[in-house]
């Protein structure tokens, strides 16, 4: 049974009671108050760790020469290093305390008012209409005290606008519900507002739909099949490459001498050792990727409520993130080569509000890891109003795509280079260019085979890839622009490249029949002009 709400109040939530403006919450703090409020003193630890992480990311290279100078100051080097560490620790503590003391916030009508800063004082007014997402983070050091970090992400920002670090969870839930309710009221049409006033009661909130819970096994599959393995490999190779002293002749000679004593000096013995070391390195990289996937996505839980997708995950830091359904511009379905062997797909909501943070890594993307094709189809239907575009048959692009790249992108440039080589090498100079064309041609053919496209009245899907596959599904009314481009050869043969621009994402369908490209553009224009559904 639900109780009617009076004007100026908000409905009750299961998480926490919604406060009347100007009244205290269960945490003793107030919403819509003229008094500035502080966060928990435990936020000092949050600021200290934040400063340390910033130093690790940005200041290690600058501090390395200073540390080298101090370390070479004779017998007093350790005393100097200790003094330097003590000064840094005191500075870190003072900076963290001042950051806590200078951070204040309050809610004034439809905006957050923030005061912060140590050396430079900042004043921020963040309107509810600019807030794209309200997320929770629960670090390990806050968990015993029931505190969380409330993150308010604003439209068009490449960084988090506001972090309320160290506030009680009930208060954070109250603030989130308060912000979402005010945004919903602000974006309601006059008819909806009139209907709400006539009924005199808020509609009962629908229960959350439990969409997905990922066990450890699925997270391990995600760690094995995502592309983070190659990212770790690149970082490791770069780090090893910086160790110039490791590769001096004396070290390499002693290394091979020791290996020779163990496995012998024959070609087969050395080949076996190299293969073994490669396998060990690959195993370590895969283990690192799996461990990282489990730590980041531990107890992954996906739900749907009030037209928003809610995600909870994390071992050391629990993260609670919600995404408004209306802000999802497209659904990206990725299946790398290892995921194909495992029969799994990784989904990403491409959305307004998150794309500016892509450079910060996958933690900022709304990823749904390691799901089956059946789950993907059901989620796509829920996301796109029961539209079964994923079940449509995909049309291929023209085989002229293979000819274009095999001949003009690789063939002719390779032959020109080979022609120059024949001056000094004779006809043997043509062997490397021909080998390049022979090796590259199967990959071009595979790339051609991966391309596919389909469209119905309201939605479209584009498939691409090389060894793996990527599907991008999107509603036509969210298309920003569609551009048809034709080279002279495409103009004569009746094909074109279709360039599709969505919010934060660009797609290309190469060597598409010209009539199909024009039909796509016409369908998108019609949907943009006739659809009254908000696109963000």
């Amino acid at each position: 049974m639900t109780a009617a709400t009076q004007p100026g109040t908000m409905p009750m939530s299961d998480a926490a009671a919604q406060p009347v403006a100007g009244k205290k919450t269960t945490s003793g703090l107030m919403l819509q108050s003229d008094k500035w409020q502080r966060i928990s003193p435990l936020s000092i630890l949050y600021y200290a760790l934040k400063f340390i992480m910033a130093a690790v990311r940005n200041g290690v290279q600058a501090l390395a020469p200073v540390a080298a100078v101090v370390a070479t100051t004779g017998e007093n080097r350790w005393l100097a290093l200790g003094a330097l560490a003590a000064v840094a620790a005191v500075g870190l503590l003072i900076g963290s305390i001042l950051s806590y003391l200078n951070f204040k916030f309050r809610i004034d009508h439809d905006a957050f008012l923030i005061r912060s800063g140590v050396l430079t004082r900042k004043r921020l007014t963040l309107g509810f209409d600019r807030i794209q997402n309200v997320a929770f983070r629960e670090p390990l050091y806050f968990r015993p005290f029931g505190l969380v970090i409330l993150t308010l992400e604003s439209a068009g920002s490449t960084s988090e606008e506001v972090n309320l670090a160290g506030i009680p969870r009930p208060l954070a839930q109250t603030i989130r519900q308060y912000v979402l309710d005010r945004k919903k009221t602000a974006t309601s049409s006059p008819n909806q507002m009139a209907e709400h006033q006539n009924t005199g009661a808020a509609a009962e909130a629908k229960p959350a739909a439990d969409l997905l819970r990922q066990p450890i096994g699925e997270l391990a599959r995600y760690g094995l099949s995502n592309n983070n393995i190659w990212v770790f490999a690149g970082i490791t190779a770069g780090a090893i490459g910086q160790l110039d002293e490791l590769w001096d002749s004396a070290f390499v000679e002693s290394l091979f001498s020791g290996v020779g004593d163990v496995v012998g000096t024959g070609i087969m013995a050395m080949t076996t050792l190299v293969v073994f070391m490669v396998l060990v390195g690959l195993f370590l990289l895969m283990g690192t990727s799996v461990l990282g996937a489990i730590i980041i996505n531990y107890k992954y839980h996906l739900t749907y409520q009030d037209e928003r997708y809610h995600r909870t995950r994390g071992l050391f830091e629990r993260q609670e993130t919600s995404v408004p359904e209306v802000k999802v511009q497209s659904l990206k379905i990725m299946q790398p080569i290892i995921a194909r062997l495992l029969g799994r797909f990784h989904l990403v909501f491409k959305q307004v509000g998150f794309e500016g943070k892509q450079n910060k890594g996958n933690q900022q993307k709304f990823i749904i890891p390691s799901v089956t094709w059946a789950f993907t189809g059901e989620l796509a239907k829920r996301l796109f109003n029961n539209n079964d575009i994923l079940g449509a048959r995909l049309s291929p692009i023209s085989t002229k795509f293979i000819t274009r790249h095999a001949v003009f992108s690789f063939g002719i440039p390779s032959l020109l280079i080979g022609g120059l080589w024949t001056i000094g090498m004779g006809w043997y100079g043509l062997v490397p260019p021909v080998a390049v064309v022979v090796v590259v041609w199967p990959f071009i053919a595979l790339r051609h085979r991966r391309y596919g496209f389909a469209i119905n009245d309201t939605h479209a899907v584009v498939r691409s890839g090389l060894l793996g596959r990527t599907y991008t599904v999107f509603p036509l009314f969210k298309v920003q622009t569609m551009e048809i481009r034709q080279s002279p050869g495409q103009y004569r043969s009746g094909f074109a490249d279709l360039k599709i621009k969505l919010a934060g994402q660009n797609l290309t369908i190469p060597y598409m029949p010209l009539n199909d490209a024009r039909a796509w553009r016409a369908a998108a224009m019609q949907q943009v002009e006739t659809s009254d559904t908000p696109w963000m």
Side-chain angles (χ1 to χ4, degrees), residues 50 109 112 117 218 228 234 322 327 338 366 368 373 407 441:
K50 182 179 178 181
H109 299 293
F112 268 93
E218 289 296 343
N228 289 339
S322 63
K327 296 192 181 297
I338 299 179
F366 200 97
I368 307 175
W373 184 253
V407 174
W441 185 89

Side-chain angles (χ1 to χ4, degrees), residues 38-39 43-44 46-48 50-51 92-104 115-119:
R38 293 188 184 276
I39 53 182
S43 62
I44 294 174
Y46 162 79
Y47 285 114
K50 182 179 178 181
F51 292 151
L92 178 64
L93 180 60
I94 293 175
S96 301
I97 294 175
L98 291 177
S99 295
Y100 155 70
L101 293 176
N102 291 329
F103 189 95
K104 298 178 182 179
R115 292 181 178 178
S116 62
V118 178
L119 299 179

Side-chain angles (χ1 to χ4, degrees), residues 5 15 17 178 262 277 282 307 390:
T5 57
Y178 183 78
V262 177
M277 295 300 294
L282 183 60
E307 299 180 349
L390 277 181

Side-chain angles (χ1 to χ4, degrees), residues 6 327 349 370 393 415:
Q6 301 299 324
K327 296 192 181 297
F349 286 165
S370 188
R393 183 176 180 179
L415 291 177

Side-chain angles (χ1 to χ4, degrees), residues 87 228 318 423 430 439 442 517 521:
V87 170
N228 289 339
R318 295 293 293 169
I423 298 176
L430 294 176
V439 171
R521 185 174 61 181

Side-chain angles (χ1 to χ4, degrees), residues 1 33 43 66 85 133 155 186 221 225 235 314 319 332 335 353 356 358 391 462 497 501 519:
M1 180 177 295
S33 172
S43 62
V66 177
N133 188 28
R221 290 187 178 94
S225 58
I235 294 175
Q319 300 176 0
K332 188 175 182 180
Q335 191 182 41
Q358 287 185 0
V462 178
D497 292 346
K501 183 178 181 180

Side-chain angles (χ1 to χ4, degrees), residues 249-435:
S249 57
F251 175 81
V252 174
E253 183 178 351
S254 61
L255 176 64
F256 278 97
S257 176
V259 170
D261 294 339
V262 177
V263 300
T265 57
I267 296 179
M268 288 300 298
M270 296 302 295
T271 302
T272 303
L273 177 64
V274 170
V275 172
F276 175 76
M277 295 300 294
V278 169
L279 293 177
V280 169
L282 183 60
F283 176 79
L284 292 176
L285 290 173
M286 294 173 66
T288 303
S289 181
V290 169
L291 183 61
I294 293 175
I295 291 175
I296 293 174
N297 297 289
Y298 183 70
K299 288 188 176 180
Y300 188 101
H301 187 200
L302 180 68
T303 60
Y304 178 82
Q305 186 179 28
D306 295 335
E307 299 180 349
R308 301 176 72 92
Y309 290 90
H310 303 268
R311 179 189 68 186
T312 304
R313 65 175 186 172
L315 177 60
F316 300 122
E317 180 180 88
R318 295 293 293 169
Q319 300 176 0
E320 298 180 24
T321 306
S322 63
V323 173
E325 190 174 44
V326 69
K327 296 192 181 297
V328 179
Q329 303 299 301
S330 63
L331 175 64
K332 188 175 182 180
I333 306 168
M334 301 179 295
Q335 191 182 41
I337 180 62
I338 299 179
R340 292 195 65 186
L341 299 176
L342 298 175
R344 293 296 184 269
F345 298 83
H346 312 316
L347 314 182
V348 178
F349 286 165
K350 304 292 288 186
Q351 55 185 302
V352 176
F354 267 47
E355 300 311 309
K357 300 182 180 183
Q358 287 185 0
N359 292 333
K360 290 190 174 184
N362 286 339
Q363 291 194 38
Q364 300 297 344
K365 298 180 181 179
F366 200 97
I367 298 177
I368 307 175
S370 188
V371 297
T372 63
W373 184 253
F375 175 87
T376 302
E378 292 300 320
L379 182 66
K381 288 182 180 180
R382 176 186 290 272
L383 183 62
F384 300 123
N385 298 321
N386 209 33
N387 194 292
D388 192 22
I389 184 62
L390 277 181
R393 183 176 180 179
L394 300 181
S395 301
I397 63 174
S398 171
T399 54
K400 293 183 179 296
F401 174 86
I402 303 176
T403 305
R404 161 69 176 81
H405 289 284
V407 174
F408 295 99
S409 297
F410 293 96
I412 294 178
S414 297
L415 291 177
L416 290 176
I417 295 174
L420 296 177
W421 287 354
T422 57
I423 298 176
M425 302 174 57
W427 292 108
Y428 291 105
L430 294 176
V431 174
V434 172

